[in-house]
């Protein structure tokens, strides 16, 4: 989906889209425990680098990063 030039852009509130993209990028390299140990500074950079992500660093918040982290765990669980 992320490599599709017709894919819609997503922003900070699109937690599930971000989580799916992170799972596609990292797969099973990150287990639930590892996902919860990711520093928010790292997570912020990874999200900003995702294809089709159009949010900005200034629009991010700790709340967004917490929601993304939780959604990523649920995405990982769904694929196990």
């Amino acid at each position: 989906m992320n490599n599709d030039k017709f894919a819609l852009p997503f922003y900070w509130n699109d937690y599930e889209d971000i989580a799916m993209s992170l799972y596609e990028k990292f797969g099973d390299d990150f287990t639930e425990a590892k996902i919860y140990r990711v520093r928010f500074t790292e997570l912020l950079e990874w999200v900003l680098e995702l294809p089709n992500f159009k949010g900005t660093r200034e629009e991010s918040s700790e709340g967004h990063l917490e929601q993304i982290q939780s959604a990523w765990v649920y995405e990982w669980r769904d694929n196990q």
Side-chain angles (χ1 to χ4, degrees), residues 27-46:
D28 292 328
D29 291 345
F30 280 81
T31 62
E32 180 175 346
K34 285 184 181 180
I35 293 169
Y36 278 126
R37 287 196 308 261
V38 171
R39 293 181 311 204
F40 282 169
T41 53
E42 281 182 301
L43 184 56
L44 173 64
E45 295 303 321
W46 294 343

Side-chain angles (χ1 to χ4, degrees), residues 1 9-23 43 47 50 53 59-76:
M1 175 180 130
F10 50 94
Y11 300 89
W12 287 110
N13 287 334
D14 299 319
Y15 308 125
E16 290 181 16
D17 292 325
I18 295 169
M20 288 190 306
S21 294
L22 289 170
Y23 184 77
L43 184 56
V47 171
L50 291 173
F53 182 76
E59 295 169 331
S60 69
S61 70
E62 187 172 320
H64 288 305
L65 296 170
E66 287 172 349
Q67 291 291 329
I68 291 165
Q69 195 174 43
S70 294
W72 186 8
V73 166
Y74 288 124
E75 184 66 25
W76 179 84

